Amino acid sequence: MKVYKFGGASVKNAEGVRNVEKILRQFAEKEQIVVIISAIGKTTNLLEKILDAFYYDKKQLPSMVETLRENHYTIVRDLMGDEGQRIIDKLDAIFKQLDDILAGEHSENFDFDYDRIVSFGEILSTKLISTYLNMVRVKNEWADARSLIRTDHNYREGKVDWEISSHLIRNKIVELFEKRNTNIIISQGFIAGTEEMLSTTLGREGSDYSAAIFAYSIDADSVTIWKDVPGLLNADPKFFPEAVKLEQIPYEEAIELAYYGASVIHPKTLKPLQNKQIPLYVKPFLHPEESGSKISASQMENPIPCYIFKTNQVLISIYPRDFSFIAVENLDEIFSIVSRNKININLMQNSALSFSICCDNNARKIEKLIEDLTVKYRVKYNFNIRLITIRHYTDEVVEQMIKDKEVMVEQRSRTTIQLVVGE
Ligand code: ASP
Ligand code: MG
């Protein structure tokens, strides 16, 4: 058994869906494949806006839901013309559920509503693609990840219960492959469910993680993430046109890269795969025959510098108001404020009189964080910050990177340097 994952960009239009079809025709003949699919294109962003409107500006809802509907129906029409009605009927039933939620009142819990609304993206994409594939005789079964990946009630960042999830997944997947006589099972990335079958999600971009949870549970031979790049690159070509592909990457190195924010793989994905020694391939979906990149229990061969850019960061410096030194008690308190605000620290540094953190500039969260910190601390902050991490750096490479830039914070270890600079 293998697990394939297709992200939103690879199914953003009819051509993308046809490409999924092509890849499955090519590989599913000889192989049982569990296919994990994200919401199409930028659907999750749109659903986040719909949720906002549901809370703060209901009159915007009809046109936004209409856009969501049209985005999906356009793909159906491009794929099937008039024959697409069968798919549209299925999607309509899902839209009816969404309309019903949006016609009601929101709950007291924003994150709960987030998960029950934003999870529609993956339900819609997988219903669309599964039904289409069955119509063109790429026989498959659809499975609902909300009843297979079990999490706690930590909405938007559900914590996976591995024991129950792997049991549920294994039983369901084996049953579907055996009893329904199919080689393809289609399920959703990103979404999961609680014991009571309430929807949860695994954090933005969490579909890779879903693929790893499925692979772990069924002891898959491998996971393949199909992407719009040739494989894992040593830098994001958006910032670094001369980026090159890494062929073989040890798990540890890939975990480091994902940790520092290489956006290719969701950071939680690799650990479960490493535990079971399941290799992960990153392959270009337009050229399925290419080798892509392979992450496995291998040795790092001649490391080349890898660059990770995190843009739109904020650098916050925190000073005790009484001019005391930064001590463990302050740190303890600062960390609990940061954690209560559900903020991830991308880099931190302390000096005698201040403690600085660099984190993603999520406006609403940061405003609240600064407000909470200000109660007891003096807080200074800088927006429009970029965090550059270079693994396997050399002095030349660093010099090149920081020329004409003001470096606000620098941290280095033997393998990694991190630089906080203005955008
Ligand atoms: N659709 C979700 C997102 O955009 C999950 C994913 O794509 O991995 O964040
Ligand atoms: Mg995505």
Side-chain angles (χ1 to χ4, degrees):
M1 286 184 281
K2 290 189 172 160
V3 175
Y4 283 5
K5 183 248 163 175
F6 292 92
S10 43
V11 292
K12 65 169 192 265
N13 52 26
E15 203 186 324
V17 176
R18 286 215 184 86
N19 201 54
V20 174
E21 172 192 345
K22 192 179 114 202
I23 289 176
L24 291 176
R25 280 193 200 281
Q26 190 173 341
F27 297 106
E29 201 144 291
K30 298 185 231 61
E31 198 82 60
Q32 293 179 320
I33 303 174
V34 177
V35 185
I36 302 299
I37 305 177
S38 304
I40 63 167
K42 303 258 178 260
T43 300
T44 305
N45 294 353
L46 178 56
L47 282 160
E48 286 185 345
K49 291 200 185 103
I50 287 177
L51 173 74
D52 256 24
F54 181 45
Y55 266 70
Y56 306 112
D57 194 6
K58 278 206 163 132
K59 63 179 186 311
Q60 290 222 46
L61 281 174
S63 74
M64 288 178 151
V65 175
E66 193 47 37
T67 306
L68 181 70
R69 208 184 282 268
E70 257 323 292
N71 291 349
H72 287 82
Y73 292 0
T74 304
I75 297 182
V76 175
R77 281 194 297 268
D78 290 351
L79 285 168
M80 295 301 270
D82 292 342
E83 281 174 67
Q85 195 53 41
R86 219 172 98 196
I87 308 177
I88 294 204
D89 289 344
K90 291 210 176 176
L91 299 187
D92 272 340
I94 301 168
F95 275 109
K96 171 86 178 49
Q97 295 169 20
L98 178 63
D99 287 339
D100 285 348
I101 294 179
L102 296 175
E105 287 303 315
H106 63 72
S107 75
E108 298 285 292
N109 184 342
F110 185 86
D111 292 349
F112 164 79
D113 283 324
Y114 182 101
D115 283 356
R116 70 182 179 133
I117 288 172
V118 173
S119 54
F120 273 91
E122 270 69 12
I123 298 294
L124 287 166
S125 69
T126 53
K127 269 286 177 218
L128 190 165
I129 294 167
S130 165
T131 313
Y132 165 73
L133 290 174
N134 274 322
M135 287 175 79
V136 295
R137 299 193 191 292
V138 177
K139 217 174 145 235
N140 71 87
E141 286 288 326
W142 184 87
D144 190 338
R146 292 171 300 185
S147 63
L148 299 177
I149 299 182
R150 172 70 57 81
T151 68
D152 62 6
H153 294 78
N154 190 19
Y155 297 106
R156 295 183 75 170
E157 198 72 53
K159 186 164 180 297
V160 174
D161 182 325
W162 282 90
E163 207 176 304
I164 296 181
S165 303
S166 35
H167 187 77
L168 291 168
I169 292 171
R170 197 176 329 114
N171 286 350
K172 184 73 185 178
I173 297 297
V174 169
E175 180 200 302
L176 286 176
F177 275 139
E178 277 177 6
K179 297 214 179 115
R180 304 290 174 84
N181 185 30
T182 175
N183 262 0
I184 302 171
I185 294 168
I186 294 193
S187 193
Q188 306 78 37
F190 181 54
I191 68 175
T194 66
E195 204 177 345
E196 308 85 358
M197 276 295 286
L198 299 169
S199 301
T200 54
T201 59
L202 304 173
R204 285 302 307 263
E205 305 300 325
S207 296
D208 298 343
Y209 185 37
S210 303
I213 298 166
F214 274 86
Y216 178 94
S217 305
I218 59 173
D219 287 301
D221 302 318
S222 65
V223 175
T224 304
I225 298 183
W226 297 93
K227 294 211 66 130
D228 52 359
V229 286
L232 207 65
L233 307 180
N234 76 327
D236 182 338
K238 253 200 323 245
F239 300 106
F240 215 81
E242 57 272 46
V244 295
K245 190 182 83 174
L246 306 166
E247 297 283 338
Q248 290 268 359
I249 308 110
Y251 288 115
E252 294 78 10
E253 181 63 21
I255 289 170
E256 295 278 359
L257 291 172
Y259 170 79
Y260 287 116
S263 59
V264 191
I265 298 165
H266 187 277
K268 287 183 180 168
T269 309
L270 291 156
K271 207 80 194 74
L273 299 180
Q274 182 186 26
N275 286 356
K276 288 217 173 170
Q277 302 276 299
I278 299 169
L280 174 78
Y281 295 90
V282 180
K283 288 199 182 198
F285 65 75
L286 290 177
H287 304 283
E289 61 298 331
E290 279 181 18
S291 63
S293 299
K294 181 181 184 185
I295 301 170
S296 61
S298 55
Q299 288 299 322
M300 188 79 180
E301 18 167 274
N302 307 326
I304 57 165
C306 293
Y307 303 83
I308 301 145
F309 300 83
K310 271 184 184 278
T311 54
N312 196 17
Q313 299 289 296
V314 45
L315 179 67
I316 304 178
S317 298
I318 305 155
Y319 305 78
R321 279 194 188 281
D322 55 6
F323 302 103
S324 64
F325 291 123
I326 281 283
V328 180
E329 299 78 50
N330 305 124
L331 290 177
D332 189 35
E333 186 175 52
I334 291 169
F335 280 128
S336 53
I337 296 171
V338 172
S339 147
R340 187 160 16 95
N341 282 284
K342 296 197 176 172
I343 286 178
N344 289 323
I345 298 177
N346 296 329
L347 174 138
M348 55 189 161
Q349 180 143 304
N350 66 321
S351 70
L353 297 176
S354 77
F355 180 66
S356 301
I357 59 176
C358 180
C359 33
D360 295 351
N361 179 18
N362 175 331
R364 203 175 290 163
K365 280 187 173 183
I366 293 297
E367 212 175 288
K368 181 78 177 52
L369 173 72
I370 293 177
E371 193 185 306
D372 288 359
L373 287 167
T374 308
V375 176
K376 283 194 86 177
Y377 297 88
R378 203 156 55 81
V379 180
K380 285 199 204 161
Y381 45 87
N382 284 292
F383 291 102
N384 300 323
I385 295 290
R386 177 176 291 192
L387 173 62
I388 302 171
T389 304
I390 311 173
R391 297 270 300 158
H392 313 293
Y393 64 92
T394 61
D395 290 342
E396 296 91 283
V397 153
V398 174
E399 218 163 280
Q400 182 67 23
M401 185 57 65
I402 62 178
K403 69 168 191 285
D404 2 293
K405 286 205 181 79
E406 185 205 349
V407 178
M408 301 159 116
V409 181
E410 177 186 319
Q411 268 177 20
R412 45 174 107 199
S413 71
R414 255 181 310 155
T415 47
T416 309
I417 185 165
Q418 293 199 281
L419 303 156
V420 175
V421 299
E423 291 257 37

